[in-house]
Amino acid sequence: MDFQHKILTWYDKHRRELPWRAAYGQVPDPYHVWLSEIMLQQTTVATVKSYFLKFLRLWPDVDTMAGAELNDILAAWAGLGYYARARNLHACAKIIAGQHGGFFPQTIVELQKLPGIGPYTGGAIAAIAFDQSVAAVDGNVERVLSRYYAIEAPLPDSKPLIHKRAIVLVPQQRAGDFAQAMMDLGATVCTPRSPNCTICPLATECRGLKKGIASTLPRKIPKKPRPTRCGKAFVVQREDGAVLLRRRPVKGLLGGMLEVPCSEWLEGESTAVKMIEHTFTHFHLMLEVITSDTINEAEIRDSSTHEWVALNQLAGKALPTVMKKVLVEAFGSDVLKG
Ligand code: SF4
């Protein structure tokens, strides 16, 4: 049995049930595939499930999403991180609804012209939604192929070689199932720390297993340690209890999301007692939480970026996780229960 046959046979028995995945024998919905792939770019399947279902409830198709307010999408996205994805999601929905009659293009080339869709996501949508014979190499697939071919060069240098191997394997038939089968095998059998080779359909040909190095692959170039930054977060409360929030600039870190006003975040460490910590991809943040009920409203220079929000309205706002931590530190965990 060849590689493709083995993995598709395995998939027919062991495929994961996922909220965005078409039932066996059903045609996939490109909107579901696209939405899930954007959410899964930086986030685990377990976390994405509830967000995906919430988004479908709020915006059941690409046209309703295109007609939504960006701030509502950011609010629904709050907690998923990497907020540029939410902005691109909205921009992409508008293009699909406005310029493509509500239909996603089917080729990887056309898909990659859309906001938020790079080579991997374009490949995944083309393969899963439209059964195009293209490779979709995510972290799971990188791991499976690094092991199967015993590729010892570290990531990211080994990416081009892994990609070459992946392209050759894509079958002409059932390319969508093949892409999902590879992802599922990586997620459930060829797992990062302890691959379960005894139940793997690829075990007889797996070079990594034969050499006894499977669990050490893929090798990775060690990351530089993250720097630490610190700053102050000012939780300002008005007499009626409302809290002052401001919207961050659309471009950049946490773009378009709400925050309590903060000082600059500069390199250094904080020794404050009332403090929260949060780790971003490129730095670790220590924020001193300063609560105050005195604010001169004249100091709020730009009412288009600042707003007063009642405590019981905070839960529905576009607050990133770091700001939720600040508010919980200031008011206790019930503050975000709405
Ligand atoms: S045999 Fe083991 S290492 Fe090789 S692909 Fe299967 S689970 Fe991964």
Side-chain angles (χ1 to χ4, degrees), residues 144 147 189-190 195-197 200 202-203 206 209 214:
V144 173
R147 290 171 176 174
V189 176
C190 196
N196 196 349
C197 305
C200 179
L202 305 176
C206 178
L209 173 62

Side-chain angles (χ1 to χ4, degrees), residues 56-188:
L56 271 203
R57 269 197 310 277
L58 293 168
W59 304 292
D61 52 40
V62 75
D63 290 320
T64 48
M65 182 176 284
E69 291 292 327
L70 174 60
N71 288 344
D72 292 338
I73 291 180
L74 288 171
W77 193 275
L80 265 186
Y82 298 94
Y83 296 95
R85 291 184 296 167
R87 295 194 300 279
N88 283 331
L89 196 74
H90 191 227
C92 183
K94 284 184 149 185
I95 294 171
I96 297 296
Q99 298 173 24
H100 294 267
F103 296 98
F104 281 84
Q106 301 198 1
T107 65
I108 190 166
V109 174
E110 289 301 311
L111 283 162
Q112 278 192 75
K113 291 179 184 165
L114 295 163
I117 299 184
Y120 164 70
T121 305
I125 298 171
I128 299 170
F130 302 115
D131 230 5
Q132 303 263 334
S133 293
V134 291
V137 185
D138 70 353
N140 283 318
V141 179
E142 278 177 352
R143 186 168 58 254
V144 173
L145 294 183
S146 297
R147 290 171 176 174
Y148 185 78
Y149 291 111
I151 297 171
E152 295 186 54
L155 286 168
D157 295 358
S158 56
K159 274 178 188 272
L161 175 59
I162 294 172
H163 207 82
K164 250 193 197 162
R165 299 285 201 185
I167 289 169
V168 176
L169 290 172
V170 178
Q172 288 306 309
Q173 311 266 317
R174 298 190 67 193
D177 284 346
F178 180 79
Q180 294 173 97
M182 290 292 286
M183 292 170 193
D184 282 16
L185 189 79
T188 62

